[in-house]
């Protein structure tokens, strides 16, 4: 009953949002110097939440939370800061280690980044300092959320990976795909990009390449398919010269990504402590994402579904989880 009431109460809000987007679509575009013109934003604050409960139960990569802020420093250069927490659990929530399943693990990190935003190429470099084990507050966070939601608690956190400091350097590059860009007479647009990720540190060592395609109206800079990854911020690395911040935007976006993982401390264990592995890492992995985004009055809403192949060899099935983010741009 509570879910039905929540859905019904959301209907007026969704109706007003759709009506406002439609109004922006029919209004003329304000040019620089004209009334109603608004400069493109230079501040971006995002809250992102990922969880697998939307498609099943807690297992493997169970939950991720990331808050990040990016601000223009000079010209096309931006700086950013972030706070990230990740939670991992086995499929079976019993006390003690569960063999052939993902170990209990928590991760909490702060990061600092430098970004270059261009029209044809953009890049981001982030350094994260973090901690695993009890200081990550993963057990406390899961207990609190499950207590509020009246969900079953997980009993095996006494055997999570040990607490130790982490250091991680991550990078991302975006390349514009001009061949994928088009615009119809009605104002509908398409675009695309190729992106690469690289990571090295005590958390993981990995690298991969991906492709993202988008279709919609008044396409904004950020595609928001980056997800809860280091060096990925709420601001897009590619500037959209045709984007009008005075108008609302909406789009459908999809991406594919493949990577090689040479190390994953949440499966392989830490650097400074011995930890008996319960499973063996799968080095080659792939990910697909499909989502919908809306930008209205400087606020970017995004919701999507992420499919990820197995991360360890004895994993029973691929991972499927939901992702949701809100970005304030000003």
């Amino acid at each position: 009953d509570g879910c039905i009431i929540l859905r019904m109460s959301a209907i007026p809000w969704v109706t007003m949002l759709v009506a406002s987007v439609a109004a922006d679509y029919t209004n003329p575009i304000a040019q620089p110097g004209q009334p109603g013109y608004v400069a493109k934003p230079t501040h971006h604050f995002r809250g992102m939440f990922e969880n697998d409960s939307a498609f099943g139960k807690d297992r493997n990569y169970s939950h991720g939370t990331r808050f990040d802020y990016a601000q223009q420093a000079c010209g096309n250069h931006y700086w950013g800061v972030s706070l990230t927490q990740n939670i991992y659990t086995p499929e079976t929530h019993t006390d003690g280690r569960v063999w052939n399943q993902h170990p209990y693990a928590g991760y909490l990190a702060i990061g600092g980044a430098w970004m270059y935003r261009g029209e044809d190429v953009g890049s981001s470099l982030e350094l994260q300092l973090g901690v695993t084990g009890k200081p990550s507050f993963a057990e406390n966070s899961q207990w609190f959320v499950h207590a509020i939601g009246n969900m079953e608690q997980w009993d095996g956190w006494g055997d999570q990976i040990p607490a130790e400091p982490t250091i991680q350097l991550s990078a991302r590059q975006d390349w514009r795909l001009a061949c994928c860009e088009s615009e119809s007479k009605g104002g509908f647009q398409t675009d695309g990009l190729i992106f690469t990720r690289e990571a090295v540190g005590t958390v993981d060592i990995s690298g991969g390449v991906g492709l993202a395609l988008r279709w919609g109206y008044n396409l904004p800079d950020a595609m928001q398919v980056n997800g809860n990854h280091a060096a990925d911020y709420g601001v897009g690395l590619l500037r959209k010269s045709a984007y009008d911040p005075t108008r609302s935007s909406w789009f459908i976006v999809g991406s594919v990504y493949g990577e090689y993982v040479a190390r994953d401390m949440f499966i392989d264990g830490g650097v400074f402590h011995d930890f008996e592995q319960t499973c063996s890492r799968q080095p080659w992995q792939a990910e697909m994402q499909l989502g919908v985004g809306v930008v209205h009055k400087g606020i970017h809403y995004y919701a999507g579904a992420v499919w990820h192949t197995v991360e360890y060899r004895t994993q029973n099935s691929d991972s499927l989880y939901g992702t949701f983010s809100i970005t304030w741009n000003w």
Side-chain angles (χ1 to χ4, degrees):
D1 294 341
C3 293
I4 296 175
I5 294 173
L6 180 61
R7 293 191 186 101
M8 292 183 66
S9 63
I11 292 175
W13 180 86
V14 173
T15 303
M16 288 187 295
L17 181 61
V18 172
S20 182
V21 172
D24 287 341
Y25 177 77
T26 57
N27 291 335
I29 300 176
Q31 300 298 324
Q34 294 180 345
Y37 175 77
V38 177
K40 292 186 177 181
T42 58
H43 302 264
H44 311 267
F45 176 78
R46 179 180 63 166
M48 168 172 284
F49 308 92
E50 296 182 340
N51 198 287
D52 57 359
S53 296
F55 299 99
K57 62 178 183 178
D58 294 326
R59 58 183 179 180
N60 304 316
Y61 172 51
S62 179
H63 180 78
T65 300
R66 178 178 168 95
F67 296 100
D68 53 54
Y69 170 79
Q71 178 182 337
Q72 185 176 18
C74 57
N76 291 344
H77 296 277
Y78 279 61
W79 62 269
V81 292
S82 68
L83 175 66
T84 302
Q85 184 191 53
N86 293 343
I87 300 175
Y88 304 85
T89 62
E91 297 184 18
T92 306
H93 52 104
T94 183
D95 194 8
R97 290 187 179 90
V98 183
W99 299 107
N100 296 322
Q101 295 186 23
H102 200 295
Y104 284 89
Y107 176 63
L108 182 67
I110 58 173
W114 189 261
M115 291 160 274
Y116 173 79
R117 301 182 63 221
E119 291 196 5
D120 296 314
V121 63
S123 60
S124 174
L125 183 68
E126 180 172 38
L127 177 66
Q128 284 185 321
L129 301 177
V131 66
T132 60
K134 288 187 176 181
S136 70
F137 299 109
E139 178 183 4
N140 310 75
S141 299
Q142 188 184 65
W143 182 91
F144 178 73
V145 173
H146 281 214
I148 292 178
N150 195 27
M151 295 181 286
E152 190 175 5
Q153 297 292 351
W154 291 64
D155 303 319
W157 280 103
D159 289 294
Q160 65 177 305
I161 65 173
E164 64 178 50
T166 65
I167 183 170
Q168 187 75 9
L169 185 65
S170 303
R172 172 176 170 135
Q173 300 81 35
D174 286 4
W175 286 274
R176 171 191 174 198
L177 286 177
C179 60
C180 296
E181 296 178 356
S182 66
E183 183 171 0
S184 67
K185 293 182 179 179
F188 296 101
Q189 302 169 333
T190 63
D191 67 356
L193 60 85
I194 292 177
F195 63 94
T196 58
R197 293 194 189 110
E198 304 85 27
V200 60
T202 62
V203 178
D204 74 89
I205 301 174
S206 61
V209 59
L211 167 70
L213 300 174
R214 187 169 54 165
W215 174 84
Y217 168 73
N218 190 31
L219 297 179
D221 295 337
M223 285 192 172
Q224 299 292 9
V225 292
N226 36 28
N228 181 21
H229 299 281
D232 287 347
Y233 279 72
V235 57
L237 294 179
L238 297 181
R239 293 178 177 270
K240 301 290 294 183
S241 58
Y243 171 60
D244 179 14
T246 65
R247 287 188 165 191
S248 295
S249 306
W250 63 265
F251 59 85
I252 300 172
V253 59
S255 68
V256 294
Y257 176 71
E259 66 176 344
Y260 182 83
V261 181
R263 171 176 170 75
D264 181 350
M265 78 173 301
F266 306 119
I267 294 177
D268 300 324
V271 176
F272 306 109
H273 296 84
D274 292 329
F275 182 75
E276 192 171 8
Q277 291 179 253
T278 58
C279 57
S280 178
R281 169 180 34 84
Q282 172 64 41
W284 290 102
Q285 301 177 25
E287 182 178 284
M288 294 180 62
Q289 184 172 166
L290 181 65
V292 177
V294 175
V295 184
H296 180 61
K297 293 185 177 180
I299 303 179
H300 193 149
Y301 307 89
Y302 176 78
V306 182
W307 168 81
H308 195 104
T309 58
V310 297
E311 299 175 73
Y312 55 94
R313 300 182 190 277
T314 53
Q315 187 172 335
N316 289 328
S317 61
D318 298 335
S319 297
L320 183 63
Y321 57 90
T323 177
F324 176 75
S325 66
I326 300 179
T327 308
W328 287 265
N329 307 284
W330 70 97

